[in-house]
Amino acid sequence: MDDSLSFESFFEGAKKAAHRAMDDHGRSEHEEFALHAGVAVEKLAKAVLVSKNPLYIAEIRNADMMLHLGGHLQLPAEKVRTAGAKDAIARLRRIGVLPQQDPQLDLLIEMRNGAAHATPDSTLAKGMVSPLARTIETLLDDLGRPLAEFWERWTDAVRNAVNEQEDQVLRDVQLRIIQAKHAFDDRFAGLPPEIREQLLKSPQPRAEEHWIREMQIWDHDLVVLKTGSGTCPACGGEGLLTFKPVVPTPGATTFKATGFGCYLCSFEVSGSDELAALRQTHLPNLMDSMTVTHGRTSPPEDLEMGEPQAG
């Protein structure tokens, strides 16, 4: 039988496509993510079918393919046809490997089939990490292969993705931290470690990008935006925490944290829910709010005076 139809070929192809999908998702390239995620599921589904019987991947209406897979007929490469993703999944459902009903998996395959012709909805594609991770885990369990062997550096991310006990916002923040970390690590692949350390100690923006350090924006005598620094959970560099006023008084204003971002690795979160998830997972001491007195002479050190607040 053709080596391209072997279990090893399908398994390695699925692994490669799955890793590409996670890289795509981290770069918000949703069209490519949908394509590679669907390919990963299709190839691993075929690996499972081949592991049970090579005939199970044959096109149902192609008798020559069954003979070819059985080793009794040689077909030229251009005539080799295997079952599509939907048929492969249907066969695994038929024999009890995959659940009979899984609308999210069906949607992922539909998006994969349309990705080459039209850009899938970004919101839908963004949420497809969970069905991808869940389906891959189910297929690996059937094969008796460990999750870490397949996912390698993405193992923690996909474990979080299938943890239904955790809030969706929390899972999304955890995933983005890992994606940003891997993207940052990839920038320094093959370079001496001291180059990375030097960048972390003294980050310099590229000429075409904007860069904001600790600052205050005033409207006459009122501060309307404050920013402060914080350690990035993805790369360890210096990130930027932003605050907006919520309770102004004649002599002081309480500011609420509204977002965190890192120039070095592009990790960012925004809004109270995502900031709460960030504190829960990585930065418990990240300030939630601060109260400062008014006056243009307030020193920058005021940014460090606030204590972490609940809520």
Side-chain angles (χ1 to χ4, degrees):
M1 185 176 66
D2 189 339
D3 286 344
S4 67
L5 304 179
S6 67
F7 168 83
E8 291 76 13
S9 178
F10 283 125
F11 186 87
E12 290 302 319
K15 181 177 176 179
K16 184 176 181 180
H19 285 220
R20 284 184 175 177
M22 296 301 287
D23 288 333
D24 295 335
H25 193 277
R27 295 190 295 266
S28 296
E29 295 177 357
H30 297 121
E31 180 178 359
E32 293 299 314
F33 166 74
L35 176 60
H36 288 133
V39 169
V41 170
E42 178 180 357
K43 287 185 177 292
L44 194 58
K46 290 179 180 179
V48 173
L49 290 171
V50 168
S51 74
K52 298 181 183 304
N53 190 320
L55 293 179
Y56 289 175
I57 64 169
E59 264 190 337
I60 196 167
R61 292 181 296 273
N62 191 333
D64 283 350
M65 267 304 298
M66 287 191 290
L67 295 173
H68 176 75
L69 292 169
H72 295 92
L73 181 67
Q74 291 298 314
L75 290 177
E78 65 271 14
K79 291 189 177 182
V80 172
R81 298 286 187 274
T82 60
K86 288 186 176 181
D87 285 338
I89 290 170
R91 293 173 191 183
L92 290 174
R93 285 173 171 167
R94 182 70 172 167
I95 61 177
V97 174
L98 290 175
Q100 296 299 314
Q101 301 287 333
D102 191 341
Q104 284 194 306
L105 173 57
D106 294 337
L107 177 59
L108 175 61
I109 297 304
E110 289 176 7
M111 294 176 71
R112 180 263 192 209
N113 291 338
H117 309 291
T119 303
D121 182 86
S122 294
T123 302
L124 288 176
K126 181 179 179 181
M128 289 293 103
V129 172
S130 184
L132 168 65
R134 185 180 64 250
T135 303
I136 294 293
E137 184 175 28
T138 300
L139 296 176
L140 290 174
D141 284 345
D142 186 79
L143 291 169
R145 306 292 282 265
L147 204 65
E149 176 193 1
F150 184 90
W151 284 112
E152 297 177 350
R153 69 177 188 172
W154 290 109
T155 302
D156 288 341
V158 298
R159 280 183 177 145
N160 292 333
V162 297
N163 186 352
E164 299 298 336
Q165 301 303 313
E166 291 184 347
D167 179 81
Q168 177 59 46
V169 174
L170 179 60
R171 295 202 304 266
D172 187 47
V173 169
Q174 289 176 316
L175 174 61
R176 276 186 281 164
I177 289 172
I178 294 173
Q179 288 173 328
K181 179 181 184 302
H182 291 335
F184 186 72
D185 289 343
D186 289 344
R187 289 174 58 188
F188 298 93
L191 296 176
E194 54 267 25
I195 294 180
R196 171 181 172 139
E197 295 305 315
Q198 182 179 3
L199 181 64
L200 288 173
K201 290 177 181 178
S202 55
Q204 296 295 324
R206 290 186 290 270
E208 70 273 14
E209 294 185 340
H210 299 292
W211 175 245
I212 299 175
R213 293 191 181 276
E214 294 184 1
M215 61 175 289
Q216 299 180 97
I217 296 179
W218 293 77
D219 182 4
H220 296 89
D221 291 331
L222 294 178
V223 179
V224 294
L225 176 70
K226 291 178 74 70
T227 66
S229 61
T231 301
C232 176
C235 69
E238 182 181 312
L240 191 71
L241 184 63
T242 57
F243 298 84
K244 287 187 178 179
V246 290
V247 184
T249 66
T253 299
T254 297
F255 289 80
K256 183 80 172 177
T258 59
F260 179 88
C262 178
Y263 161 79
L264 291 176
C265 67
S266 299
F267 169 72
E268 62 179 23
V269 294
S270 62
S272 58
D273 289 346
E274 291 191 351
L275 282 169
L278 184 61
R279 291 187 195 94
Q280 180 178 341
T281 55
H282 288 82
L283 300 175
N285 295 322
L286 190 68
M287 280 192 294
D288 177 68
S289 63
M290 68 169 77
T291 300
V292 295
T293 57
H294 296 156
R296 294 180 183 275
T297 59
S298 296
E301 289 75 15
D302 282 352
L303 290 168
E304 307 298 331
M305 298 297 289
E307 294 294 330
Q309 302 290 329

